Amino acid sequence: MSDEPREKPGNFIRDIILEHNASGRFGGTVITRFPPEPNGYLHIGHAKAISIDFGMAREFGGRCHLRFDDTNPTKESQEYVDSIIDTVRWLGFDWGKHLYYASDYFEQLYAWAVQLIEAGKAYVDDLTADEMSEYRGTLTEPGRESPYRNRSIEANLDLFRRMRAGEFEDGTRTLRAKIDMASGNINLRDPVMYRIRKAAHHRTGDAWCIYPMYDWAHGQSDSIEGVTHSICTLEYEDHRPLYDWYLDQLGVHHPQQIEFARLNLSHTIMSKRKLVELVQQGLVSGWDDPRMWTLAGLRRRGYTPEAIRDFAERVGTAKAAKVVDIAFLEHCLREDLNRRADRRMAVLRPLKVVIENYPEGQVGEMEAVNNPEDPAAGSRKVPFSRVLYIEQDDFRDPAPPKYFRLSPGAEVRLRYAYIVKCTGVERDASGQVVTVRCTYDADSRGGDSRGRKVKGTIHWVSASHSIPAEVRLYDHLFSVPKPDDADDWKTVLNPRSLEVVRGARLEPTLAGADRGSRFQFERQGYFCVDARDSAPARLVFNRTVGLRDTWAKIQKGAG
RNA sequence: UGGGGCGUGGCCAAGCGGCUAAGGCGCGGGACUUUGGAUCCCGUAUUCGGAGGUUCGAAUCCUCCCGCCCCAACCA
């Protein structure tokens, strides 16, 4: 990043840890964990959580575990486990040997459940899901106790053992904690600890037919691992009393749960349900569609892990639910790419230019700097010849006010090549300009204006030397900043979120570019070779993000 | 008619009773420029959801009010 480490913004979680360290609550150790459920792909919001979990641990010389909260076999799969591991690693975080699964603790969890039953703190309930919902009460009315609430400890022990043995069908019984059906906090109204699910688990196979609920698994898993700070998002705030209750009943190591506001990004939706819908209904091409803000999507789009980490740190950590402007993510990206991406010339929508006074058959070699931000990146040679392609947008007849590019009679600099002057155009039957005719100033080699005032510089490629490519231009998937606010979020999908440009022409040095490699196409933006669809003989580039475009603003202002 | 949280500029966000309310993004203006990129300047809240109160002094403490978010899966 920058030479001097950016000053870290204040952070209430850090303050809490500092207090713990001062009071000696955890003996000065800091152990955190990132606990994804393997039921989907990670998105940019997870990057913030990962950054906080791993960041706090690193800052205090502790460690962060990667633990899968795999307690619901019907929704989870190995595919998701694999993608999550791959993604967190790609982001640049390392959990060392501390890779865990809640399913590793099933036996211990079962033993602890038996312990709670023996203490009269848990019971087997025969209520159906619907009945249980009815008994639970509402937000404003207390619930009622289940008729099965006061079974004997012996009966509960027996029933629970038989639940595990598979004697009962799915949904017929649950194990519940005996807490308080009248609590204002609904999580405390005798929460379910175990449900029967005769489903194969991606790790434990058929070993179990009862599975622990999140609340029963999570805190205890934290405890087993010696976690000190269990950092999670705001929606778990009213689960904290339950988190604490279980741990207190068991009398085991008791981590501190701390909640922060999850990340919301403008022009996106973070709901897992909606994300799944986008993918399953084919509204996008997959979890890694470059328009997606999943980490897999951002990665394929060309985002760097560094930029994402920088963004995650810079958005801050607080408790107010806010929506961060996606322009900030893009800013962090440009900042990183500007420093690192080599420059190349690529013409997306070619317009033929003939340099009338450049000898036919002659090929010049123009020296082009690879990265003005990084002298060590060196330079390259780009071929120049009589027939070139320039961007259609770089020629206008007549030229609008303040247009610095090419137009009849105007002079412009061809980047790293020569100053040229437009002498005329050729049009087709419909009046469309098909060829621009120019003359060049041989003394301006390299682009030296030699005292003249040449305001415009445009990029170009030599027609016969250039290579073809498909270029995919992306825009926000949603056309409004807050799709969640729309009556129907699917109606605000941006119809122009993907534009495929097939006839692009690239400078020849781009031939053989590796999949995933990133470049700045001068004056246009940052692009990367698509990791999925590109092939040496058929290059496909993704536009990662455009350059800031002051000209576009001027035009917009001019109406 | 419950419980838990949150309200600082267009968007994030510091601030934790006392110098003129940090910083970033965005936006506007200027300088510079062989990317209308980058970089560099300058500007952008007399005020902290509102109203009272405490105090020599409040965004920071108290009271009331207003607004927003989360919770009634055998999901996490």
Side-chain angles (χ1 to χ4, degrees):
Chain A
M1 307 287 110
S2 53
D3 299 344
E4 291 169 28
R6 212 187 312 271
E7 202 172 311
K8 299 218 180 219
N11 170 336
F12 78 100
I13 296 177
R14 175 181 300 120
D15 294 343
I16 291 172
I17 296 176
L18 251 14
E19 279 170 33
H20 289 160
N21 287 172
S23 70
R25 167 136 175 224
F26 296 109
T29 68
V30 175
I31 299 173
T32 59
R33 99 273 89 116
F34 172 59
E37 183 192 14
N39 70 343
Y41 281 65
L42 262 23
H43 54 63
I44 184 74
H46 292 111
K48 174 179 175 183
I50 292 169
S51 167
I52 293 170
D53 292 333
F54 280 89
M56 284 298 106
R58 190 190 53 227
E59 189 173 328
F60 288 97
R63 62 169 195 260
C64 179
H65 302 172
L66 174 60
R67 181 179 73 239
F68 287 95
D69 245 333
D70 54 349
T71 57
N72 186 354
T74 61
K75 292 186 175 173
E76 300 155 6
S77 75
Q78 190 61 39
E79 178 203 351
Y80 293 129
V81 170
D82 294 341
S83 89
I84 290 168
I85 287 177
D86 181 55
T87 299
V88 179
R89 210 170 258 150
W90 173 76
L91 248 195
F93 293 95
D94 180 20
W95 50 89
K97 57 184 180 185
H98 302 283
L99 172 64
Y100 302 115
Y101 296 82
S103 54
D104 288 342
Y105 311 137
F106 282 175
E107 198 61 57
Q108 173 65 263
L109 257 13
Y110 180 84
W112 273 334
V114 167
Q115 191 180 317
L116 284 200
I117 293 172
E118 287 170 339
K121 301 288 189 181
Y123 62 98
V124 172
D125 196 354
D126 298 359
L127 252 28
T128 65
D130 285 347
E131 289 168 335
M132 196 181 292
S133 167
E134 235 179 278
Y135 274 79
R136 188 156 22 238
T138 68
L139 292 179
T140 53
E141 298 157 12
R144 283 145 45 221
E145 298 188 346
S146 165
Y148 305 99
R149 196 175 199 256
N150 295 307
R151 290 216 247 235
S152 69
I153 289 174
E154 292 66 35
N156 283 135
L157 252 15
D158 176 59
L159 254 12
F160 187 47
R161 182 188 55 73
R162 290 164 62 195
M163 276 171 63
R164 176 179 182 172
E167 289 186 27
F168 312 120
E169 294 312 302
D170 283 13
T172 56
R173 280 180 231 264
T174 57
L175 182 73
R176 293 229 260 168
K178 191 186 285 189
I179 308 181
D180 177 9
M181 289 306 292
S183 174
N185 182 343
I186 290 171
N187 293 302
L188 262 20
R189 319 241 264 228
D190 289 10
V192 171
M193 294 169 67
Y194 279 94
R195 74 289 213 186
I196 301 171
R197 277 260 198 300
K198 293 185 173 169
H201 184 280
H202 60 98
R203 294 194 76 247
T204 61
D206 296 322
W208 295 85
C209 64
I210 57 171
Y211 290 93
M213 298 290 290
Y214 163 84
D215 289 295
W216 173 241
H218 199 88
Q220 283 51 253
S221 298
D222 284 344
S223 182
I224 290 167
E225 294 175 15
V227 165
T228 55
H229 302 272
S230 184
I231 304 166
C232 59
T233 48
L234 251 28
E235 59 267 34
Y236 293 101
E237 215 152 14
D238 32 355
H239 287 245
R240 181 160 23 99
L242 179 54
Y243 182 100
D244 291 337
W245 190 87
Y246 283 136
L247 261 6
D248 286 342
Q249 297 308 313
L250 262 18
V252 295
H253 166 69
H254 194 147
Q256 175 66 52
Q257 177 178 302
I258 304 168
E259 313 84 12
F260 68 92
R262 67 175 208 205
L263 172 72
N264 293 303
L265 235 207
S266 74
H267 302 277
T268 72
I269 41 118
M270 293 295 177
S271 148
K272 209 168 229 177
R273 197 203 91 226
K274 293 174 183 171
L275 244 9
V276 167
E277 238 177 299
L278 282 174
V279 173
Q280 291 186 345
Q281 294 187 12
L283 271 12
V284 293
S285 66
W287 287 102
D288 68 347
D289 185 305
R291 291 168 296 180
M292 292 281 269
W293 45 96
T294 49
L295 293 172
L298 294 174
R299 178 181 183 177
R300 185 168 166 203
R301 171 89 168 247
Y303 273 73
T304 62
E306 289 83 355
I308 294 172
R309 278 190 257 133
D310 185 40
F311 168 75
E313 274 180 35
R314 290 218 263 166
V315 288
T317 307
K319 294 195 71 162
K322 300 283 188 65
V323 180
V324 175
D325 193 332
I326 197 166
F328 184 50
L329 208 213
E330 294 171 344
H331 165 80
C332 294
L333 212 217
R334 288 193 188 99
E335 200 170 76
D336 187 34
L337 257 16
N338 175 49
R339 271 189 299 266
R340 317 163 50 176
D342 274 2
R343 274 58 169 171
R344 290 294 183 270
M345 290 195 284
V347 175
L348 267 33
R349 298 176 180 84
L351 172 61
K352 190 167 142 191
V353 172
V354 176
I355 311 294
E356 296 171 317
N357 58 341
Y358 197 86
E360 207 135 357
Q362 183 174 319
V363 178
E365 285 206 320
M366 301 298 143
E367 175 121 0
V369 170
N370 282 330
N371 184 349
E373 306 295 321
D374 177 17
S379 62
R380 67 190 186 284
K381 300 268 200 261
V382 183
F384 182 89
S385 66
R386 180 180 161 90
V387 182
L388 313 171
Y389 288 127
I390 64 168
E391 209 68 58
Q392 286 172 18
D393 277 353
D394 288 338
F395 178 83
R396 291 282 292 275
D397 179 21
K402 289 194 252 177
Y403 186 77
F404 307 149
R405 282 112 96 146
L406 207 56
S407 59
E411 264 194 333
V412 75
R413 173 186 298 104
L414 294 178
R415 180 83 159 150
Y416 294 128
Y418 299 96
I419 307 291
V420 297
K421 180 173 190 165
C422 174
T423 55
V425 301
E426 290 167 19
R427 296 171 189 274
D428 63 15
S430 67
Q432 194 72 30
V433 175
V434 291
T435 304
V436 174
R437 308 199 72 86
C438 291
T439 54
Y440 85 114
D441 173 0
D443 291 335
S444 64
R445 190 170 213 280
D448 184 358
S449 49
R450 292 159 57 246
R452 251 180 306 178
K453 263 179 54 180
V454 179
K455 266 205 117 163
T457 299
I458 64 176
H459 57 93
W460 54 276
V461 295
S462 166
S464 61
H465 303 271
S466 66
I467 58 174
E470 173 177 318
V471 178
R472 298 171 181 172
L473 306 178
Y474 303 103
D475 195 357
H476 303 142
L477 221 214
F478 291 102
S479 49
V480 298
K482 299 184 180 182
D484 281 313
D485 286 356
D487 294 331
D488 177 357
W489 61 277
K490 282 186 210 160
T491 63
V492 291
L493 280 163
N494 178 4
R496 286 186 293 277
S497 59
L498 167 63
E499 182 183 356
V500 179
V501 176
R502 295 182 199 282
R505 306 294 306 189
L506 318 176
E507 64 168 77
T509 58
L510 247 7
D514 293 330
R515 283 180 169 189
S517 55
R518 306 178 180 91
F519 301 93
Q520 182 199 96
F521 287 174
E522 295 228 17
R523 303 204 309 130
Q524 308 200 86
Y526 297 96
F527 294 74
C528 75
V529 180
D530 189 76
R532 194 181 280 289
D533 299 337
S534 191
R538 187 183 172 282
L539 288 171
V540 176
F541 280 84
N542 294 317
R543 181 172 66 192
T544 309
V545 66
L547 249 28
R548 280 187 58 207
D549 192 348
T550 307
W551 171 240
K553 277 180 198 167
I554 293 170
Q555 281 179 303
K556 212 175 166 187

